[in-house]
Structures are given as structure tokens and as C-alpha cells.
């Protein structure tokens, strides 16, 4: 997008075209205005439009410009926090609600894709959380026990079965989650937008919100060339937030993440590398991830930004790591490279904010935007519709607060990833 091949890389190259949109150039009226065209915003608009609500969605750039169009494409259940820890952080009521909601969120994604016939390369064979060493193995065993106790379809694979599924003996085991899978993220969010538009939502792109004001009992949301008068505002801007709700960005620390995609592998190589097409990531502190796309490209990524000195360092590390992991790919060429920013909250959990009367939003997905974003979009739509009261939401109302030393932390993460990869951090 915007003549930058490192912003969305492979996903922009292979995604279907988005629905036709234009910028807002007049004053229009709606019941609800959704701000942000990512997973949360499109899901909210779709679920509202399906119920007959007059909904308008405003996107500052293009559909999927933020995290929705840049990520790895893993459809995960839950969050990074261990299941047993959630009630301790959020309390027993909200902790259980969030676990129940997010545990099955990948299944909601599947249902939406099938219902609306979204062409987004969905794979249903699960994900593998790959254990590095004994410490990593202990971590996935603990995570498995906690999810299994809740009835989740998860199990730990031993080193031999892990090697067969991945095509490499690099890991001591893996946690298989059959709820999860992979998809083409930009294709998915564009598909949600098409479904929302078909249901009656009006979508405007290149229409950043620059101000809001009250007009009696309604809100007026202003863009550079137009305005929307509405009863409700849903803030779905996440970590790329600017304008009136830039505090959503300020309460998250950016963690840069890059991906490189190989050219399509031969049929023979595809039989030896992820033959079942599970999505994978490991237990390292500076983690790595890898998965296949529909055409047989291996998408390989890790923490870091492809800019400045990081471009050469991370690219070189990826080649070395890929060679160690899959020696048969030693000479394979990378076809695309791109990177984005993961917004991390201080406790690695999402937030629900009530910015003002009838101005609400979920945010803070900590690198797990696909399933949580989709499910939170549906949840906030149901809240606006009156189906779910504020007291029955999966998260308590909290006031947004900027993280201290945010710029310093972000510089530390970016520099630290470069140092680790320059020193040869493996997998």
C-alpha cells in the first residue's frame, strides 16, 4: 500500500481486491459509526448491519492498513497469558468470561468465513506451539494441562511426532491446538468488509477522524471533508490509533515484527515442510513463527523491523535460521518481505474502554488480532444493540492510560532484536 512493498508484502500481492470505497465528502447520518477498518471494526459493522442497524465505518487509510494486513495469519485461541493466571489478573468473573469467549474464538472465525464464503486461504489443521529445550517443553505442558482442564482440544506432541509434522528435528515437542489454524489476513479483513457492505454497512476509506463533538443527544464525528452524525461511536483503531483516540496507541508499546516469504516450494519440498500446513511459533523470548500459504510459500518471521541496519541483520538471520531448520531450503529465495507493529499492553491482556457516553471500544490484542478482533467486534455490536449489558461484558471498564517510558521501551525492543539476531539467536 502507498508504494511501500514492506508494509503488507505477500498479503497485498495475493489478496483479492477490497470492495469499492470512497472518502467521506459530505455530512451523513447513522445509528452507529465505527472508527477503524481492521478485524474489530469490520466484524462490528457486519454484525450490526445484519441486524438492520444503519452503520457507517470510517477508515483513515485503506481496509486492513494496520495490523490486520501485516500479521502472520495465525488464528489462535486465548491470549499469551496462561489460562490459570487470567482470573488472578482480571478477577474470577471477568477471567472466566474472557477465557470462555476467546477459547472458542477461532471457531467463530471459521463460521464467518464459511457463512460469507470469504476467500482467504483458511487452513483448519491447527497450530503448533513449538518447544525449544526442556524449559519450552515444560511451558507447553503447563499450557496444555490448563486448556485441557477446560475441555479444549489440545495435546502435547513428542519430539518425534513434532519432527514429522514440521519436517525438522529442531524442537523438543509441540502443543497442537486443533481449534486454531491459519489464513491470509488481508484477504480475510477485505472479505469481512465485502460481507459488511453487502449487509448494508457504508464503508468510507481515506477518511481519518479528526474531531468529535456533541450535538444534543448525538455525536458528530468529523473527517477532513465530511462528518457523521450518530448515536454511538465504536472505537476500533487499535495500536495504529491517531486523532481523538490516540491514547489507545499510547497505552501500548510497539513490538516490531517482520515476515519473509519464500518463492513457492516445489511439490516435493512441500511434502517435507509442514505437510499438514499447521501454523507454528516457538517458545523463545524473541520468538519466531512460520507457516505455509496456499501456493506453497513458507512465511518465516520474528521480532524486528526491516528498516535501517535491521533490514540486513534480520534478513541474514532468517536465511541462517531457515537453513538450520530446513536444510533442504538452504538456497531458496525470498519473494517478499514486510513488517509491522504489535501493540503490547502492560499485562498482555486486552482492554475495554468507555471513552464517553455511547463511545466504546476494545483494544490491546498483543499480537493476536484475528480471533480476538473478530469476537470483540461481534461482542461490542451486541452491546450497542442492547443484547449485552456493560456489566456482562468479558472485560471490565478501564480508563486508558499511557505507558511510561514507551519510546524507550520500543527502542529497546527494536535494538534488542537486532543484537540477538546479529549474534545468531537460533529459531
Amino acid at each position: 500500500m502507498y508504494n511501500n512493498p514492506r508494509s503488507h508484502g505477500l498479503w497485498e500481492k495475493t489478496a483479492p481486491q477490497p470492495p469499492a470505497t470512497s472518502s467521506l465528502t459530505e455530512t451523513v447520518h447513522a445509528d452507529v459509526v465505527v472508527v477503524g477498518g481492521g478485524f474489530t471494526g469490520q466484524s462490528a459493522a457486519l454484525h450490526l448491519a445484519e441486524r438492520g442497524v444503519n452503520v457507517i465505518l470510517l477508515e483513515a487509510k485503506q481496509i486492513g492498513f494496520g495490523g490486520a494486513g501485516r500479521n502472520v495469519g495465525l488464528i489462535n485461541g486465548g491470549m499469551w497469558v496462561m489460562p490459570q493466571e487470567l482470573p488472578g489478573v482480571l478477577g474470577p468473573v471477568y477471567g472466566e468470561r474472557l477465557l470462555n469467549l476467546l477459547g472458542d474464538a477461532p471457531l467463530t472465525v471459521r463460521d464467518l468465513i464459511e457463512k460469507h464464503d470469504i476467500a482467504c486461504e483458511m487452513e483448519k489443521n491447527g497450530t503448533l506451539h513449538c518447544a525449544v529445550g526442556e524449559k519450552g517443553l515444560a511451558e507447553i505442558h503447563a499450557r496444555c494441562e490448563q486448556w485441557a482442564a477446560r475441555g479444549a482440544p489440545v495435546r502435547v506432541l513428542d519430539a518425534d511426532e513434532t519432527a514429522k509434522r514440521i519436517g525438522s528435528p529442531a524442537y523438543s515437542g509441540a502443543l497442537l491446538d486443533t481449534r486454531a489454524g491459519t489464513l491470509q489476513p488481508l484477504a480475510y479483513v477485505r472479505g469481512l468488509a465485502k460481507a459488511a457492505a453487502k449487509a448494508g454497512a457504508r464503508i468510507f476509506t481515506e477518511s481519518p477522524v479528526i474531531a468529535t463533538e456533541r450535538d444534543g443527544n448525538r455525536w458528530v464525528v468529523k473527517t477532513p471533508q465530511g462528518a457523521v452524525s450518530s448515536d454511538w461511536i465504536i472505537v476500533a483503531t487499535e495500536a495504529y490509533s491517531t486523532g481523538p483516540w490516540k491514547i489507545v496507541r499510547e497505552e501500548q508499546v510497539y513490538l516490531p515484527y517482520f515476515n519473509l516469504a519464500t518463492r513457492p516450494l516445489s511439490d516435493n519440498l512441500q511434502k517435507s515442510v509442514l505437510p499438514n500446513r499447521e501454523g507454528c511459533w516457538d517458545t523463545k523470548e524473541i520468538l519466531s513463527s512460520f507457516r505455509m500459504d496456499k501456493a506453497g510459500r513458507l512465511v518465516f518471521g520474528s521480532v524486528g523491523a526491516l528498516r535501517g541496519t535491521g533490514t540486513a541483520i534480520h534478513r541474514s538471520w532468517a536465511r541462517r535460521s531457515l537453513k538450520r531448520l530446513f536444510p533442504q531450503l538452504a538456497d531458496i529465495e525470498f519473494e517478499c518481505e514486510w513488517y509491522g507493529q504489535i501493540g503490547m499492553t502492560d499485562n498482555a491482556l486486552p482492554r475495554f474502554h468507555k471513552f464517553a457516553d455511547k463511545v466504546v471500544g476494545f483494544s490491546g490484542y498483543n499480537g493476536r488480532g484475528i480471533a480476538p478482533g473478530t469476537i470483540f467486534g461481534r461482542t461490542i455490536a451486541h452491546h450497542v444493540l442492547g443484547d449485552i449489558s456493560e456489566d456482562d461484558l468479558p472485560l471490565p471498564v478501564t480508563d486508558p492510560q499511557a505507558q511510561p517510558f514507551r519510546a524507550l521501551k520500543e527502542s529497546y525492543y527494536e535494538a534488542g532484536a537486532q543484537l540477538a539476531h546479529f549474534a545468531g539467536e537460533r529459531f
Side-chain angles (χ1 to χ4, degrees), residues 190-217:
R190 286 179 174 179
L192 286 176
K194 290 179 181 179
K198 184 177 180 180
R202 289 177 285 171
I203 300 173
F204 295 94
T205 53
E206 304 293 344
S207 301
V209 175
I210 57 175
T212 63
E213 63 181 35
R214 291 291 274 177
D215 181 13
N217 294 325

Side-chain angles (χ1 to χ4, degrees), residues 73-257:
L74 302 180
I75 317 167
N76 286 312
M79 301 298 292
W80 290 107
V81 177
M82 285 285 192
Q84 286 185 1
E85 295 177 10
L86 269 178
V89 178
L90 294 175
V93 174
Y94 287 109
E96 284 299 315
R97 286 180 188 170
L98 190 62
L99 280 170
N100 290 334
L101 185 72
L102 296 185
D104 291 333
L107 304 180
T108 299
V109 173
R110 290 187 189 183
D111 290 344
L112 277 177
I113 290 170
E114 293 171 354
K115 176 182 178 181
H116 298 285
D117 194 25
I118 299 174
C120 61
E121 303 183 16
M122 181 174 62
E123 296 284 353
K124 302 179 183 179
N125 288 339
T127 55
L128 297 171
H129 192 181
C130 305
V132 177
E134 292 301 315
K135 181 180 178 181
L137 192 60
E139 177 186 332
I140 65 168
H141 270 290
R143 194 175 292 275
C144 182
E145 289 172 5
Q146 293 176 31
W147 275 118
R150 303 182 62 82
V154 296
R155 65 185 177 96
V156 172
L157 311 181
D158 64 20
D160 288 341
E161 187 171 358
T162 299
K164 291 177 182 177
R165 285 177 176 266
I166 293 177
S168 171
Y171 301 105
S172 53
L175 174 61
L176 172 64
D177 187 342
T178 58
R179 299 169 299 182
T182 66
L183 50 68
Q184 211 276 32
L186 185 58
Y188 174 56
V189 74
R190 286 179 174 179
L192 286 176
K194 290 179 181 179
K198 184 177 180 180
R202 289 177 285 171
I203 300 173
F204 295 94
T205 53
E206 304 293 344
S207 301
V209 175
I210 57 175
T212 63
E213 63 181 35
R214 291 291 274 177
D215 181 13
N217 294 325
R218 291 173 66 81
W219 286 99
V220 177
V221 179
K222 297 182 178 180
T223 68
Q225 298 180 346
V228 181
S229 172
S230 69
D231 296 319
W232 282 85
I233 303 173
I234 293 177
V235 180
T237 52
E238 245 298 78
Y240 285 78
S241 294
T242 59
W245 300 287
K246 65 179 182 178
I247 186 63
V248 173
R249 187 293 187 235
E250 293 171 352
E251 72 171 348
Q252 303 182 45
V253 172
Y254 273 166
L255 182 72
Y257 202 90

Side-chain angles (χ1 to χ4, degrees), residues 171 257-262 286-290 298-304 306 309-327 329-338 417-418 420-427:
Y171 301 105
Y257 202 90
F258 70 90
N259 286 289
L260 298 100
T262 70
I286 300 179
L287 65 84
S288 302
S289 60
F290 50 97
L298 184 67
V299 179
F300 190 74
S302 184
V303 178
L306 299 178
T309 56
T311 303
I313 289 172
H314 298 313
R315 190 188 294 138
S316 177
W317 169 86
R319 291 189 180 281
R320 297 193 310 270
S321 297
L322 196 63
K323 182 178 179 179
R324 287 192 293 260
L325 190 60
F326 303 110
L329 303 185
D331 298 322
I332 200 73
E333 296 176 357
F334 290 122
E335 183 177 309
C336 298
E337 57 183 26
W338 68 102
Q418 287 191 38
H421 286 166
F422 181 77
E425 176 75 10
R426 293 188 64 179
F427 307 128

